[in-house]
């Protein structure tokens, strides 16, 4: 028997000859694939393809950016010119995400027309990413734990609350980041086979890190954790760790500025942007990556252990010191100075931006289904690291634990911290389910088997949140509403296209209506839910929550030509001028142009006050 086969037989879930285990081995692939398929088939595919009814305003804005690109906007021009005209708003999103979507639409447009092509790509692109993620996950789990645990990892992934980021229509960037971080974890955890394998894995880690940073800075803490892990293996003298760390650092230091230059106009190369890959973060990537590579190459002069740790700390300090001296504001306040009304009435009510204390009130299902599985996963991985029978297994579990713990820490500040961290969760949950099922099949120690199964199920976000959902339904208690970023009936394309009968102008509309107006009409807008458009958000919030004078001031300051709103959206604020306007109140400076029985209403500014 080969060593690999012997090791496989010793793993949890190995074939022990019992009928229960054999049945499980047969059923598990089908169950995992069925569960993954449900992510796709439960989506409203017809609405996405035919009506461009996308799940989230970010998906709609991504499609707006892509359509502008294929209609002639310059690759390096990432300004949304119809958001807060005439200057427009420079978006912080990456062309790396736009490119494959644009390519798909351009390829299908001659056959299907632009709208249907856009709908098919919006539905299909996330499904391709889902397939890539699950295949990559299965391959990694197979190498580490064997076939049954690999299928259970796929099953666990399909039960994460964040798996919805791969659903049809989800063309925003989070799914690509999750896929990149999974590859990064594999690159730093897989034991390299020879020096060439170490260089390849290190290069992959550096390139994936740079790509994830270019896509969005949410991945920065996880890239840093991977760098610390790779440095630790070198510091303690793990075989071929030198080659991997040197390749990791050098690739990161080279790839980050290359990707930045590939999507940024030359005149903006020195523009400071704390919310996207720009000079502050490039400095950190170049100095950090270069310092790691230099330490690895010079490390032969230092003994493993404390001397190398001190060298790594010195190099790390050399990267952090100039960054903090020049750009400390990017750490303290990466979103810049937001008006208080924007911070409190918009950002403070967006579900994914909630702090833990507010999330417990406004979005408890995200805490139970998102943060709790990460916390349980981190604890399980730590226990596995402590009881591991090899240094390689202990190292791998520690890396997974650190990624999950980072996700928990970030999610206490903003719920979106669960997104990137969820890449690591199935690699802990799958093997945990395998061990729990093994104990149940073997019989004996029922209490221990029950605890193992409970912990494994707690890592499945949908299963963890199910009791809370059932209890809310049974007792009729639901959390207070937060800002809904779903495109509601009023903001559906067929409703907003009613505005196309009027001459193009600049619309003052509720914040969450803005993105749909951009997608379905030629009009410009004052506000959309993006922090770089804070001035427009402030004007919209004050206009639709205050008295007539507040709307007058917003019209004056923004130059809006049209006021639009959803009648039903005003019901929560009966004291506002918008509420009375939506119920027929007339004012001399507004002329109704869309005031039928439908929810969407609009007025043209006929006399600028």
């Amino acid at each position: 028997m080969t060593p690999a086969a012997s090791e496989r037989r010793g793993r949890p879930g190995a074939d022990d000859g019992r009928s229960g285990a054999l049945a499980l081995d047969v059923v598990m692939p089908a169950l995992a694939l069925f569960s993954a398929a449900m992510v796709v088939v439960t989506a409203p595919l017809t609405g996405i393809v035919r009506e461009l009814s996308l799940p989230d305003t970010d998906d709609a804005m991504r499609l707006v950016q892509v359509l502008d690109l294929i209609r002639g906007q310059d690759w390096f021009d990432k300004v949304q010119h119809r958001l807060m005209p005439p200057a427009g708003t420079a978006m912080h999103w990456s062309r790396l995400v736009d490119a494959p979507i644009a390519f798909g639409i351009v390829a299908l447009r001659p056959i299907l027309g632009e709208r249907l092509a856009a709908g098919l790509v919006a539905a299909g692109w996330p499904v391709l990413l889902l397939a890539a993620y699950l295949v990559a996950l299965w391959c990694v789990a197979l190498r580490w734990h064997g076939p049954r645990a690999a299928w259970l990892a796929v099953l666990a992934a399909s039960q994460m609350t964040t798996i919805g980021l791969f659903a049809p229509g989800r063309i925003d960037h989070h799914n690509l980041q999750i896929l990149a971080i999974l590859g990064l974890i594999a690159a730093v955890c897989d034991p390299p086979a020879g020096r060439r394998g170490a260089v390849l894995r290190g290069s992959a880690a550096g390139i994936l890190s740079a790509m994830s940073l270019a896509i969005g800075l949410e991945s920065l803490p996880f890239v840093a954790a991977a760098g610390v892990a790779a440095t630790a293996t070198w510091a303690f003298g793990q075989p071929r760790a030198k080659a991997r760390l040197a390749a990791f650092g050098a690739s990161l230091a080279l790839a980050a500025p290359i990707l930045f230059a590939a999507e940024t106009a030359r005149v903006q190369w020195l523009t400071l942007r704390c919310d996207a890959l720009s000079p502050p973060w490039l400095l950190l990537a170049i100095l950090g990556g270069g310092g790691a590579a230099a330490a690895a190459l010079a490390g032969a002069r230092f003994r493993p252990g404390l001397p190398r740790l001190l060298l790594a700390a010195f190099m790390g300090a050399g990267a952090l010191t100039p960054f903090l001296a020049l750009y400390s504001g990017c750490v303290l306040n990466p979103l810049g100075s937001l008006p208080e009304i924007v911070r409190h009435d918009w950002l403070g009510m967006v579900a994914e931006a909630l702090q833990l204390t507010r999330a417990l009130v406004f979005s408890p299902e995200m805490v139970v289904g998102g943060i709790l599985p990460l916390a349980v996963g981190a604890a399980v991985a730590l226990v596995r690291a402590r009881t591991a029978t090899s240094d390689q297994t202990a190292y791998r579990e520690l890396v997974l634990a650190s990624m999950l713990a980072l996700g928990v820490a970030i999610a206490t500040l903003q719920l979106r911290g669960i997104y990137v961290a969820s890449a690591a969760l199935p690699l802990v949950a799958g093997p945990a389910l395998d061990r729990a099922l093994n104990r149940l099949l073997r019989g004996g120690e029922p209490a221990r088997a029950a605890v193992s199964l409970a912990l494994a199920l707690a890592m499945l976000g949908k299963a963890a949140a199910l009791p809370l959902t059932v209890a809310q339904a049974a007792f009729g208690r639901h959390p207070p509403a937060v800002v809904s970023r779903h495109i509601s009936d009023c903001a559906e394309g067929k409703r907003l296209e009613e505005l196309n009968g009027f001459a193009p102008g600049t619309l003052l509309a509720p914040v969450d209506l803005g993105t749909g107006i951009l997608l379905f009409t030629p009009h410009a807008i004052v506000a959309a839910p993006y922090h770089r458009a804070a001035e427009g958000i402030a004007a919209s919030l004050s206009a639709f929550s205050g008295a007539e004078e507040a709307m007058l001031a917003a019209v004056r300051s923004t130059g809006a030509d049209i006021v639009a709103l959803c009648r039903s959206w005003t019901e929560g604020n009966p004291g506002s001028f918008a509420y009375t306007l939506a119920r027929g109140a007339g004012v001399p400076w507004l002329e109704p142009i869309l005031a039928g029985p439908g929810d969407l209403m609009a007025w043209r500014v006929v006399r600028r006050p």
Side-chain angles (χ1 to χ4, degrees):
M1 181 180 293
T2 65
S6 176
E7 182 184 357
R8 181 69 50 82
R9 287 179 61 84
R11 290 172 176 163
D15 181 10
D16 56 11
R18 289 183 297 185
S19 59
L22 287 173
L24 193 60
D25 289 336
V26 172
V27 170
M28 195 50 60
L31 181 60
L33 292 174
F34 173 79
S35 183
M38 292 300 291
V39 177
V40 178
V41 300
T42 55
L45 292 172
T46 301
I48 294 169
V49 174
R50 295 189 177 276
E51 301 174 11
L52 297 182
S53 181
L54 302 180
D56 188 274
T57 54
D58 281 352
D59 304 310
M61 181 59 89
R62 175 70 64 188
L63 187 55
V64 170
Q65 293 284 95
V66 169
L67 292 175
D68 287 347
L69 176 65
I70 65 178
R71 290 168 182 169
Q73 186 162 327
D74 190 85
W75 170 267
F76 294 108
D77 180 9
K78 292 187 281 186
V79 173
Q80 180 43 246
H81 294 281
R82 290 190 293 143
L83 175 55
M84 294 182 63
T89 301
M91 300 298 288
H92 62 293
W93 291 358
S94 173
R95 287 293 194 205
L96 300 180
V97 183
D98 295 343
I101 302 170
F103 176 81
I105 296 174
V106 169
L108 294 175
R109 184 170 55 179
I111 306 170
L112 303 173
E114 185 177 89
R115 179 159 179 151
L116 186 55
L120 281 172
V121 172
W125 173 242
V127 177
L128 291 177
L129 293 178
L130 174 64
Y133 172 66
L134 294 179
V135 168
L137 176 65
W138 185 86
C139 291
V140 174
L142 179 68
R143 288 198 302 272
W144 292 359
H145 303 288
R148 190 196 299 169
W151 287 114
L152 285 165
V154 172
L155 177 64
S158 68
Q159 294 302 306
M160 295 188 305
T161 54
T162 52
I163 199 64
L165 297 171
F166 290 90
R170 295 311 313 261
I171 56 174
D172 194 24
H173 66 287
H174 296 298
N175 42 28
L176 264 176
Q177 277 192 315
I178 291 171
L179 183 57
I181 294 301
L182 175 63
L184 174 60
I185 291 170
V188 299
C189 288
D190 273 341
R195 186 179 182 280
R196 183 171 179 271
V199 171
L200 288 175
R201 282 172 170 77
S203 299
I207 293 170
L208 288 169
S209 296
M211 185 181 78
S212 65
L213 293 174
I215 290 172
L217 291 177
E218 303 101 314
S219 61
L220 178 61
F222 303 93
V223 170
V228 170
T231 302
T233 61
W234 162 79
F236 289 105
Q238 189 179 93
R240 293 176 290 278
K242 170 186 172 180
R244 177 162 58 187
L245 179 60
F248 186 174
S251 296
L252 174 60
L254 290 172
I258 289 172
L259 292 176
F260 170 76
E263 61 171 348
T264 307
R266 188 174 300 178
V267 295
Q268 295 178 334
W269 282 4
L270 298 180
T271 302
L272 190 154
R273 295 287 193 183
C274 291
D275 59 356
L277 190 61
S278 67
W281 309 110
L282 286 174
L283 176 68
L284 194 59
I286 292 169
L287 293 181
L297 295 174
R301 303 176 185 178
F302 296 82
R303 295 192 313 275
L306 183 60
R308 290 190 181 182
L309 286 174
L310 291 174
L311 175 61
F314 176 78
M315 291 296 188
L320 283 173
T321 300
F323 169 77
L324 292 175
L326 295 171
Y327 305 118
S328 60
C330 285
V331 178
L332 299 175
N333 191 15
L335 297 185
S337 178
L338 296 178
E340 181 58 28
I341 189 174
V342 175
R343 190 176 295 277
H344 182 269
D345 292 351
W346 172 68
L347 186 63
M349 296 297 291
V350 173
E352 67 178 30
L354 293 176
Q355 294 182 352
L356 178 61
T357 52
R358 290 175 63 80
L360 287 169
V361 176
F362 290 101
S363 190
E365 70 282 354
M366 286 294 289
V367 176
V368 176
I371 298 179
L372 177 63
L374 297 185
V376 173
V380 169
L382 281 174
V383 172
R384 290 289 295 167
R386 184 175 181 181
T387 59
T389 57
S390 70
D391 291 342
Q392 177 60 36
T393 300
Y395 162 71
R396 185 175 67 212
E397 296 296 331
L398 284 173
V399 171
L400 293 173
S402 67
M403 295 288 184
L404 296 172
L406 264 177
V408 173
I410 297 169
T412 61
L413 303 176
Q414 285 198 340
L415 273 182
R416 73 184 75 201
I418 67 176
Y419 293 166
V420 178
S422 65
L425 186 59
L427 292 172
V428 179
L433 278 169
D434 192 14
R435 291 189 294 272
L437 292 173
N438 251 343
R439 290 191 176 110
L440 288 173
L441 289 172
R442 285 199 306 262
E445 298 186 309
R448 186 175 181 184
V451 170
S452 297
L453 184 61
L455 289 173
L457 292 176
M459 286 184 269
L460 309 185
K462 294 178 183 179
L466 183 60
L468 176 63
T469 304
V470 171
Q472 288 175 341
F475 294 102
R477 296 181 179 180
H478 299 279
V482 294
V483 173
S484 173
R485 305 189 66 189
H486 180 77
I487 299 179
S488 69
D489 291 344
C490 180
E492 286 181 351
K494 59 186 177 183
R495 299 280 185 265
L496 294 175
E497 285 170 350
E498 296 175 12
L499 297 170
N500 291 340
F502 315 119
T506 299
L507 272 72
L508 175 64
V511 175
D512 281 345
L513 200 61
T515 313
I517 294 171
L518 290 180
L519 180 58
F520 295 107
T521 81
H523 298 290
I525 57 173
V526 168
Y530 305 100
H531 66 271
R532 286 193 179 183
E535 181 182 341
I537 295 174
S540 176
L541 292 173
S542 61
F544 293 100
S545 63
E548 181 180 357
E549 290 74 17
M551 188 172 287
L552 282 169
V555 168
R556 290 193 194 103
S557 65
T558 63
D561 305 301
I562 298 172
V563 175
L565 55 79
C566 297
R567 192 196 316 265
S568 61
W569 291 14
T570 65
E571 292 174 357
N573 195 356
S576 66
F577 173 65
Y579 180 88
T580 59
L581 187 65
R583 282 147 187 84
V587 290
W589 55 279
L590 290 177
E591 175 190 358
I593 56 176
L594 185 62
D599 200 21
L600 181 63
M601 307 179 71
W603 298 259
R604 186 175 295 280
V605 178
V606 293
R607 180 171 60 83
R608 203 166 292 279

